[in-house]
Amino acid sequence: MEDRPFERRTEIVLGRGALARVPALVGDRVFLVTDPGVVAAGHAARLEALLRDAETEVHCYDRSPPNPGEEDVEACLDAYRRASAGEAIQWIVALGGGSAIDTAKGCAMLACASGRMADYVGRGKVDVVSPKLVAVPTTAGTGSETQSFALIGERGTGRKMACGGTAPVAAVLDPELTLTMPRHVTAASGLDALTHAVEAAVTRRRTAESAAVASEAFRMINGSFERVLAEPNDLNAREAMLHAAALAGLAIENSMLGAAHSMANPLTRHYGVVHGQAVGQVLPTVVAHNVHDHAVRRLYADFSRDNDVADRDATDKDAVRGLVARLRALVREAGFGPKVLGVPASAANELAAEAATQWTAQFNPVDVDVRDFKRLYREVLS
Ligand SMILES: [Zn+2]
């Protein structure tokens, strides 16, 4: 565990109808970044109306794609510059899932600095003074709304780059916006938040506070994920998931992530496995691997007992076994089995070589080398 101050730069505005509070958070000219699905759901029109009622000038860019690449950020930046003609717009509002928020973050980084996204791989590469960003998530998963990284595909290779800028100044969490998520999005994004919470609780880079925030996020997800899947209109459960995803985002800002994310990225890049599904399906296997280290087993055991997954007096071994079983149950509840379908086991060697080069692997609580990754992939591939 490291001893560093907990970075929390994002104000959280939480509650039903919180969308109406966006106009009070921004200046009198706004560049709104969103995507066609959010427009179709009617959320963008609602936010535009709220802003215009508050006499805010709005320029809407609604072409943010899923899994944005460098060229998508540049297209957004062009639109921002055209809207800014004469005088730079000081506020960007991102309305959508992690992809729209990441596109907006990338746009803010390039507008503030220069160059291309590939220049900003790593932590805190650009201190974005202006334009400032307000994030309004419509999914409960990525936690992009409370952290400073934008995940952007590299031009040409498609390699996912974690580009480090400045976290949004505010995250507006309105559970009503998440009611329009289809079940498969609720499921995959929930698994992403779950994985963020579990990985951030134990990384090498964690602090006492980031581990506690991750644990809190897990507790909320553990108590409400099944409920949002069974009762998608339950606003209390939706609010808990949305809040938990944002807290998990805060936790990973400070803790970073682990081997489940290292394994998932190549699965998404080469086989199109949805990120949340990929991290969720490999997570129990990664936890079961990590607990071979005695000290790390104790960490997970405490995590399991603290969150009532295991009884207070359970042994470390039983507490960890209970945690892995609970994770498998949540993955099953989300509609996925223990095997990642559609990816042949023969791909394990190639995937392992790539997973070992992933940035997040270094933060995993135990070392994971190519041989370990090969074995882990063989366990989860069919
Ligand atoms: Zn993730």
Side-chain angles (χ1 to χ4, degrees):
M1 186 164 358
E2 296 188 4
D3 184 17
R4 280 177 286 109
F6 186 73
E7 287 178 37
R8 183 176 194 139
R9 302 191 199 167
T10 306
E11 179 192 351
I12 289 182
V13 180
L14 170 74
R16 296 175 197 186
L19 186 70
R21 293 169 65 185
V22 173
L25 296 167
V26 297
D28 56 5
R29 292 174 76 219
V30 161
F31 185 65
L32 173 62
V33 177
T34 187
D35 66 51
V38 172
V39 171
H43 302 320
R46 269 182 65 211
L47 179 54
E48 280 190 72
L50 286 164
L51 287 163
R52 293 209 166 100
D53 284 351
E55 294 181 4
T56 305
E57 184 183 314
V58 190
H59 297 265
C60 182
Y61 179 76
D62 61 8
R63 292 194 296 281
S64 167
N67 304 314
E70 287 191 272
E71 53 284 2
D72 302 309
V73 174
E74 286 161 12
C76 182
L77 178 69
D78 282 348
Y80 167 80
R81 288 201 168 125
R82 280 197 302 278
S84 286
E87 190 192 347
I89 296 176
Q90 304 290 323
W91 289 88
I92 297 181
V93 176
L95 175 69
S99 294
I101 297 172
D102 285 352
T103 302
K105 271 185 197 166
C107 175
M109 287 162 74
L110 295 185
C112 182
S114 58
R116 54 180 283 204
M117 292 310 294
D119 300 334
Y120 302 112
V121 177
R123 191 180 183 80
K125 294 293 176 152
V126 196
D127 190 10
V128 184
V129 183
S130 174
K132 289 187 165 51
L133 185 65
V134 171
V136 188
T138 57
T139 62
T142 68
S144 180
E145 62 275 14
T146 44
Q147 37 108 351
S148 60
F149 291 95
L151 292 181
I152 304 296
E154 186 179 38
R155 196 185 340 263
T157 67
R159 178 178 67 104
K160 271 263 188 269
M161 306 181 293
C163 306
T166 305
V169 293
V172 176
L173 309 179
D174 185 340
E176 290 173 356
L177 297 173
T178 66
L179 292 175
T180 49
M181 268 194 286
R183 183 188 160 90
H184 69 274
V185 178
T186 299
S189 53
L191 287 179
D192 193 21
L194 171 73
T195 308
H196 293 165
V198 174
E199 294 216 288
V202 298
T203 62
R204 285 182 166 139
R205 204 173 184 280
R206 78 192 187 283
T207 64
E209 202 169 356
S210 69
V213 170
S215 187
E216 172 70 5
F218 173 80
R219 194 185 57 72
M220 294 165 84
I221 294 164
N222 192 35
S224 38
F225 188 37
E226 285 148 313
R227 184 91 187 142
V228 290
L229 291 166
E231 299 285 343
N233 290 322
D234 183 329
L235 268 175
N236 288 333
R238 289 285 193 187
E239 184 168 320
M241 287 301 293
L242 187 59
H243 193 188
L247 290 180
L250 271 178
I252 59 182
E253 174 75 11
N254 291 270
S255 283
M256 305 306 295
L257 289 159
H261 274 75
S262 308
M263 287 181 72
N265 288 343
L267 290 171
T268 301
R269 184 175 164 201
H270 299 293
Y271 293 92
V273 184
V274 173
H275 175 75
Q277 174 193 341
V279 290
Q281 282 189 296
V282 303
L283 178 66
T285 304
V286 166
V287 172
H289 168 79
N290 288 347
V291 298
H292 290 126
D293 179 290
H294 201 74
V296 173
R297 186 192 307 166
R298 169 54 58 88
L299 274 179
Y300 283 111
D302 286 341
F303 180 83
S304 179
R305 286 184 291 252
D306 289 349
N307 288 296
D308 299 325
V309 173
D311 290 339
R312 279 266 135 227
D313 54 0
T315 63
D316 284 1
K317 201 172 163 193
D318 285 345
V320 166
R321 196 179 290 154
L323 177 64
V324 172
R326 180 64 183 146
L327 296 175
R328 291 202 195 284
L330 290 172
V331 172
R332 202 164 46 239
E333 203 63 40
F336 304 108
K339 301 280 187 190
V340 183
L341 302 179
V343 184
S346 59
N349 288 3
E350 224 168 305
L351 291 166
E354 192 169 329
T357 67
Q358 297 284 312
W359 193 41
T360 55
Q362 65 187 293
F363 307 112
N364 195 64
V366 303
D367 288 331
V368 194
D369 61 20
V370 180
R371 266 183 36 213
D372 296 322
F373 276 123
K374 270 185 209 167
R375 191 174 50 73
L376 294 173
Y377 274 119
R378 283 199 201 101
E379 282 178 34
V380 297
L381 299 181
S382 47

